[in-house]
Amino acid sequence: GAGVSQSPSNKVTEKGKDVELRCDPISGHTALYWYRQSLGQGLEFLIYFQGNSAPDKSGLPSDRFSAERTGGSVSTLTIQRTQQEDSAVYLCASSLADRGETQYFGPGTRLLVL
Amino acid sequence: AQTVTQSQPEMSVQEAETVTLSCTYDTSESDYYLFWYKQPPSRQMILVIRQEAYKQQNATENRFSVNFQKAAKSFSLKISDSQLGDAAMYFCAYRSPDPDSWGKLQFGAGTQVVVTP
């Protein structure tokens, strides 16, 4: 595809359940990023993958959050034992490399935890 | 740590008119990157314009231009000849040259642009 894709577009889950959010970056982009957008906190960085390097997990809010990137392409963000405060839009972005390269965003996944 | 401030929660502009969105940031770094992103109701964050701090010339993209004042740490966005399709939330973002922070875009709170016919 031409752009970053994310699935599902919307997800409703019950408190305590686990959820997986998927991101397909632009082909050839080596860097991949996850952000969270919520009403109270604005846009927050979560995690960053660059090539085969160890990911920068400094933005993950708790150990219930984890992310993987398989084969240097697709990434999955997993939230275990979801809480109502996890309700937000989760945005994925990718770029050609890092440093000053522009990040291109997907349409996001809106997560609602009941 | 860097912070990005957008002091205007909402700006209203008539079609064909010009609107300027303000953005200030706090940093001790000298070489960094600044971006304006647009987020319409579809949620898709779309790059509007980017500026490298080492470049003195202000970036322009068609009807969008910036006024980059490095000493004042100011990065405003001007939208000329506003169109209905420009209605969206606009975010200013900062990217550090520090390798430990490469992955992180730091965003302002956003400015909602309303375009009236």
Side-chain angles (χ1 to χ4, degrees):
Chain A
V4 178
S5 61
Q6 293 186 244
S7 60
S9 178
N10 295 282
K11 176 73 176 178
V12 180
T13 191
E14 294 179 348
K15 178 181 172 180
K17 296 285 182 68
D18 297 352
V19 295
E20 286 188 350
L21 312 180
R22 176 187 168 104
C23 173
D24 281 273
I26 293 172
S27 178
H29 281 193
T30 58
L32 186 146
Y33 318 80
W34 284 97
Y35 293 86
R36 179 170 71 174
Q37 186 175 24
S38 56
L39 283 176
Q41 301 297 324
L43 275 152
E44 306 171 274
F45 164 80
L46 295 178
I47 189 169
Y48 157 54
F49 296 90
Q50 168 53 31
N52 295 322
S53 303
D56 177 355
K57 304 179 182 180
S58 61
L60 294 179
S62 77
D63 58 8
R64 295 186 295 105
F65 288 73
S66 63
E68 289 184 336
R69 189 177 186 194
T70 54
S73 182
V74 171
S75 177
T76 301
L77 177 69
T78 301
I79 309 174
Q80 295 179 310
R81 304 181 302 282
T82 51
Q83 303 294 312
Q84 289 183 329
E85 60 262 30
D86 300 334
S87 296
V89 174
Y90 290 82
L91 294 166
C92 176
S94 70
S95 70
L96 274 172
D98 44 19
R99 205 170 191 269
E101 290 294 333
T102 296
Q103 297 182 20
Y104 295 91
F105 284 80
T109 294
R110 182 180 297 278
L111 175 67
L112 177 61
V113 182
L114 300 177
Chain B
Q2 299 84 18
T3 57
V4 180
T5 302
Q6 293 179 251
S7 58
Q8 306 152 316
E10 184 173 302
M11 294 288 283
S12 186
V13 61
Q14 284 192 318
E15 266 188 300
E17 297 296 311
T18 296
V19 63
T20 299
L21 312 184
S22 68
C23 173
T24 59
Y25 54 93
D26 181 27
T27 185
S28 59
E29 296 164 333
S30 60
D31 184 19
Y32 47 86
Y33 305 85
L34 296 165
F35 304 85
W36 279 99
Y37 281 91
K38 166 185 176 181
Q39 187 179 42
S42 67
R43 293 199 308 250
Q44 181 95 43
M45 295 278 280
I46 302 164
L47 176 70
V48 175
I49 204 164
R50 60 172 276 154
Q51 175 83 42
E52 291 87 352
Y54 64 85
K55 291 185 178 178
Q56 293 186 337
Q57 187 172 7
N58 289 323
T60 63
E61 284 290 339
N62 300 314
R63 298 182 294 105
F64 298 87
S65 61
V66 297
N67 183 5
F68 174 47
Q69 300 289 329
K70 191 172 184 179
K73 299 178 185 176
S74 171
F75 183 59
S76 61
L77 175 70
K78 184 170 79 172
I79 308 174
S80 304
D81 185 25
S82 297
Q83 302 175 359
L84 293 178
D86 295 333
M89 182 73 87
Y90 287 77
F91 292 95
C92 178
Y94 173 101
R95 192 169 192 189
S96 169
D98 179 355
D100 289 338
S101 302
W102 277 352
K104 306 172 188 175
L105 276 178
Q106 291 173 286
F107 289 90
T111 296
Q112 182 70 47
V113 171
V114 176
V115 183
T116 56

